[in-house]
Amino acid sequence: MTTHTRHPRSQTDQSTTDTDTETNTETQPDTRPLLEATNVAVSYGDVEVLESVSATIDRGTVTALIGPNGTGKTTLLCTLAGLSAPTGGTVEYLGPETSRQIGYLPQRPSFRPGFTVLETLEFYASLVGEDREKALERLELVGLEAAAGRQVEALSGGMTRLVGIAQATIGDPPVIVLDEPASGLDPGMRGHVFDIAGELAASGTAVLLSSHDLGLVERTADHVLLLDDGTICRRGSPATLQETLEVDSLRAVYEQSIAGDLHTVSVRGERS
């Protein structure tokens, strides 16, 4: 039998340890999981779109979900955002109790016609106790303050997406899920959207986004989940994935990891 002996520490030792602990607390970012999926499966009838998907979305990080069209990315994002229930496994929100736990940008955002951009955001802000000033701040965040008085039905597709991103941040939810936030935007605005994601993460928000822009993902994401054929086949930081496969870009990681024909859409279910 092994006996474990406890040795008393002097006050000096205790003080040093306490100081080290305080220092570590101050210098180490809080990246505890805010969202956890365990063995998630989603089926539509006889079609299994996702199978045994497990992942954690950490506080203060950008997690990027990448993968071919038709492999289940939108289905997974909707499930993680709590908009649809999995047919197997669990999704658990681990963050604080707030008026809005998860903000969500759908792949194709749309808003009720007949209202201006600012009026639309004011409505969403009122649901969580925010005012007009906060709604304006959201527009400034996405660079759309000049369009505050424009009718939402008169917006371009890219501008509508920016309004959707602004809407997703209302209430400062601990988790923000963005489905293709840069789709339909010009190169400058695509970079701006990813900068916004990085800024949100720097403020402690857990950001989960999907994108086909692997260059911006490589530049911005702390973690990457590569979804192929309904399962996560690779996960890790862009640098770690490149090192593991001995390649020099995330695109090369993608090309080496996808099982099927890169030029053919593999459809598992109704949503991509």
Side-chain angles (χ1 to χ4, degrees):
M1 181 177 67
T2 303
T3 302
H4 299 281
T5 304
R6 298 180 62 187
H7 298 281
R9 290 180 295 175
S10 68
Q11 290 183 344
T12 302
D13 291 338
Q14 180 68 53
S15 175
T16 302
T17 302
D18 290 344
T19 301
D20 291 342
T21 301
E22 291 173 3
T23 301
N24 290 336
T25 301
E26 292 174 358
T27 59
Q28 295 300 317
D30 184 357
T31 57
R32 290 174 294 174
L34 290 180
L35 202 61
E36 184 171 21
T38 305
N39 297 326
V40 165
V42 175
S43 298
Y44 299 113
D46 295 332
V47 179
E48 190 171 35
V49 181
L50 299 173
E51 53 180 306
S52 193
V53 173
S54 296
T56 57
I57 310 303
D58 297 337
R59 183 191 312 262
T61 63
V62 176
T63 299
L65 178 65
I66 64 174
N69 289 323
T71 198
K73 296 189 301 298
T74 291
T75 299
L76 178 56
L77 293 182
C78 285
T79 304
L80 292 175
L83 299 176
S84 59
T87 51
T90 60
V91 175
E92 186 176 7
Y93 171 78
L94 304 173
E97 290 298 322
T98 64
S99 58
R100 190 183 191 191
Q101 296 175 344
I102 301 175
Y104 178 70
L105 169 75
Q107 193 175 61
R108 299 177 181 86
S110 61
F111 300 97
R112 186 176 178 179
F115 296 90
T116 67
V117 170
L118 181 56
E119 288 170 340
T120 298
L121 289 187
E122 279 187 280
F123 167 73
Y124 287 104
S126 69
L127 298 178
V128 293
E130 291 190 348
D131 57 16
R132 178 187 180 91
E133 183 178 345
K134 284 290 186 180
L136 280 170
E137 287 179 7
R138 309 300 174 176
L139 284 180
E140 292 171 1
L141 175 70
V142 299
L144 207 58
E145 61 269 30
R150 185 174 298 187
Q151 298 288 307
V152 291
E153 63 268 29
L155 298 175
S156 67
M159 293 173 74
T160 300
R161 187 166 299 278
L162 290 175
V163 176
I165 295 171
Q167 176 276 135
T169 70
I170 286 175
D172 295 317
V175 180
I176 293 180
V177 178
L178 307 173
D179 193 350
E180 292 286 349
S183 178
L185 301 179
D186 63 62
M189 285 309 300
R190 286 202 301 269
H192 178 58
V193 165
F194 273 78
D195 288 342
I196 292 170
E199 291 168 7
L200 289 168
S203 70
T205 304
V207 180
L208 171 62
L209 60 81
S210 64
S211 181
H212 291 291
D213 193 325
L214 299 183
L216 285 173
V217 169
E218 183 175 342
R219 188 192 79 181
T220 309
D222 299 290
H223 306 294
V224 173
L225 303 174
L226 177 49
L227 189 70
D228 185 32
D229 201 27
T231 63
I232 296 176
C233 63
R234 299 277 184 193
R235 70 180 74 219
S237 69
T240 298
L241 291 173
Q242 291 173 46
E243 182 179 354
T244 299
L245 294 180
E246 299 181 344
V247 295
D248 60 2
S249 69
L250 187 59
R251 177 169 296 279
V253 170
Y254 180 94
E255 292 174 349
Q256 285 197 25
S257 302
I258 299 303
D261 186 345
L262 291 173
H263 304 291
T264 302
V265 176
S266 176
V267 179
R268 291 177 63 90
E270 296 180 357
R271 291 189 284 182
S272 65

